């Protein structure tokens, strides 16, 4: 990468390591390993680093000074764009879903984004669905920015996610990943070997995901497992928190509330119920996402719950 782009932040200091995940509930012939993508960068977690890398290089090459993107109040993507933008010398702007958020104290995610200099533009949920209209009502001209789509998924993001798996990962027969928009999964699908399959645990209801994955990935061996009936951006059931506490106690691995915990929880449930129909040598991708924990714990506290997500 040319030095003059000042994108030092985009170098991975510590390549991700694979660690065995010894969870009491995942006993038997199952061999479970976790790839610590969550540790590749201190501020831009896991898959968001992969997804932003080639986009930021492109933005610099095209001479852009500002990034514009979209997201919800707890979005790991917004936090990642704010941090990566600041470290690479871009101004950052975000269109945030939820007009009402403007008048209440910012949650930890949005406060973090703002601290890093991100300009937040709040729009109603209905307007948020129509991005072009939202921009025109805000008098924002997208041509003034390098625009990164909601969730960060585009062809360059998928290219970055092709770098998650390495040659030695061909030892595994099944790659498990949490799915939001499907960009990370598409990159994994593009980079697996013929004997491997990718299982995506879909945490949000979005009927576009399979089509989106197909536009980026041609390999056929992939499956989506829906998990969004029980968890989601606004729901953190007690059973999921108890599970995350157990995983942290037994393995030292902290999972995030929105993506990786629902994935491992569902995988474990399927295994216990004898419904795991994929391979037995599993590589779980820990895509990071810790920044959302503070917001979830703040909400639990406001609800006078004694539960807390492990940190
Ligand atoms: C954003 C995110 C995902 C989902 O990635 P997609 O490419 O949108 O499917 C998964 N895990 C974590 C921790 C994330 O922050």
């Amino acid at each position: 990468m040319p030095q003059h782009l000042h994108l030092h932040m985009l170098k991975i200091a510590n390549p991700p390591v694979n660690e065995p995940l010894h969870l009491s509930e995942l006993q038997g012939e199952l061999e479970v390993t976790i790839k610590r993508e969550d540790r590749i960068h201190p501020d831009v977690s896991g898959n968001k680093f992969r997804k932003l890398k080639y986009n930021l290089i492109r933005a610099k090459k095209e001479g852009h000074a500002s990034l514009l993107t979209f997201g919800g109040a707890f979005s790991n993507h917004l936090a990642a764009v704010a941090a990566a933008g600041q470290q690479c010398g871009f101004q950052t702007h975000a269109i945030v879903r939820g007009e009402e958020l403007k008048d209440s104290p910012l949650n930890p995610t949005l406060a973090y984004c703002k601290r890093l200099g991100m300009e937040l533009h709040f729009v109603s949920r209905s307007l948020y669905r129509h991005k072009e209209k939202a921009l025109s009502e805000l008098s924002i001209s997208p041509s003034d920015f390098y625009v990164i789509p909601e969730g960060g998924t585009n062809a360059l993001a998928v290219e970055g996610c092709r770098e998650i798996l390495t040659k030695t990962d061909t030892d595994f027969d099944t790659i498990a990943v949490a799915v939001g928009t499907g960009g990370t999964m598409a990159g994994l699908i593009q980079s697996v070997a013929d004997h491997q399959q990718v299982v995506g645990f879909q945490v949000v209801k979005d009927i576009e995901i399979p089509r989106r994955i197909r536009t980026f990935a041609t390999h056929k061996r992939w499956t989506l497992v829906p998990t969004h009936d029980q968890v989601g951006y606004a729901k953190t059931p007690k059973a999921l928190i108890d599970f995350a506490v157990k995983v942290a106690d037994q393995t030292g691995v902290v999972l995030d509330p929105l993506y990786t915990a629902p994935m491992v929880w569902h995988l474990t449930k399927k295994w216990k119920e004898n419904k795991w129909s994929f391979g037995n040598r599993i590589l779980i991708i820990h895509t990071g996402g810790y920044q959302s924990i503070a917001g979830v714990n703040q909400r639990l506290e406001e609800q006078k719950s004694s539960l807390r997500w492990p940190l």
Side-chain angles (χ1 to χ4, degrees):
M1 192 185 310
Q3 288 301 306
H4 68 270
L5 291 177
H6 299 300
L7 296 175
H8 309 288
M9 160 267 154
L10 295 177
K11 285 226 175 68
I12 290 181
N14 306 303
V17 291
N18 291 345
E19 297 173 348
L21 190 76
H22 295 299
L23 195 58
S24 59
E25 288 170 284
L26 290 175
Q27 300 283 324
E29 332 57 297
L30 218 50
E31 206 179 291
V32 184
T33 302
I34 189 159
K35 184 182 280 294
R36 302 302 302 270
E37 280 278 305
D38 55 307
R39 294 212 179 127
I40 61 177
H41 192 276
D43 307 306
V44 185
S45 92
N47 67 335
K48 299 304 183 283
F49 179 97
R50 304 285 185 182
K51 296 176 81 169
L52 286 171
K53 178 178 161 186
Y54 290 112
N55 276 292
L56 298 190
I57 291 172
R58 168 75 58 86
K60 278 279 176 194
K61 279 192 180 146
E62 290 179 354
H64 287 279
S66 303
L67 309 174
L68 171 67
T69 195
F70 308 84
F74 292 89
S75 168
N76 292 335
H77 169 67
L78 288 190
V81 170
Q86 191 219 28
Q87 293 184 24
C88 295
F90 292 101
Q91 289 179 350
T92 54
H93 289 254
I95 311 301
V96 184
R97 181 177 57 224
E99 208 166 21
E100 75 285 356
L101 298 169
K102 189 161 47 182
D103 305 315
S104 42
L106 295 178
N107 75 5
T109 299
L110 297 177
Y112 172 79
C113 291
K114 198 170 172 193
R115 259 199 324 277
L116 296 181
M118 182 174 252
E119 222 171 288
L120 307 173
H121 309 270
F122 295 92
V123 298
S124 69
R125 275 146 218 277
S126 58
L127 189 55
Y128 184 84
R129 269 183 250 120
H130 307 282
K131 306 276 185 289
E132 280 174 29
K133 196 166 160 223
L135 291 177
S136 95
E137 288 202 10
L138 291 163
S139 305
I140 289 177
S141 164
S143 60
D144 294 339
F145 300 89
Y146 184 84
V147 179
I148 303 174
E150 180 179 24
T153 289
N154 57 17
L156 291 174
V158 173
E159 196 180 320
C161 291
R162 292 175 67 148
E163 295 173 358
I164 294 173
L165 295 178
T166 63
K167 280 205 187 76
T168 54
D169 293 331
T170 50
D171 287 351
F172 302 97
D173 54 39
T174 303
I175 313 296
V177 68
V179 173
T181 61
T184 307
M185 185 175 182
L188 292 168
I189 293 169
Q190 287 287 61
S191 59
V192 289
D194 284 343
H195 67 280
Q196 296 179 303
Q197 62 183 323
V198 183
V199 182
F201 292 81
Q202 193 185 328
V203 302
V204 288
K205 198 170 169 183
D206 176 357
I207 54 166
E208 289 293 306
I209 290 173
R211 189 197 52 78
R212 198 179 294 128
I213 288 175
R214 266 183 240 112
T215 61
F216 294 119
T218 48
H219 192 287
K220 291 214 175 57
R221 299 196 63 198
W222 55 273
T223 311
L224 285 170
V225 177
T227 69
H228 49 79
D229 49 333
Q230 288 160 57
V231 297
Y233 288 111
K235 300 178 265 184
T236 320
K238 178 178 184 306
L240 181 66
I241 301 174
D242 291 343
F243 180 75
V245 169
K246 192 183 334 175
V247 171
D249 284 350
Q250 288 186 9
T251 70
V253 174
V254 173
L255 299 169
D256 84 290
L258 303 180
Y259 294 98
T260 55
M263 161 176 63
V264 181
W265 191 40
H266 272 256
L267 191 159
T268 303
K269 250 200 276 195
K270 279 202 179 293
W271 175 250
K272 286 200 297 193
E273 292 167 4
N274 257 324
K275 288 180 189 153
W276 182 251
S277 53
F278 308 102
N280 284 356
R281 306 199 68 197
I282 306 170
L283 180 66
I284 291 175
I285 312 296
H286 194 323
T287 38
Y290 300 127
Q291 71 81 31
S292 70
I293 295 174
V296 165
N297 279 342
Q298 188 186 63
R299 199 167 49 196
L300 289 167
E301 203 176 325
E302 282 163 9
Q303 292 163 354
K304 308 266 183 268
S305 165
S306 60
L307 297 167
R308 289 295 177 271
W309 196 270
L311 269 169

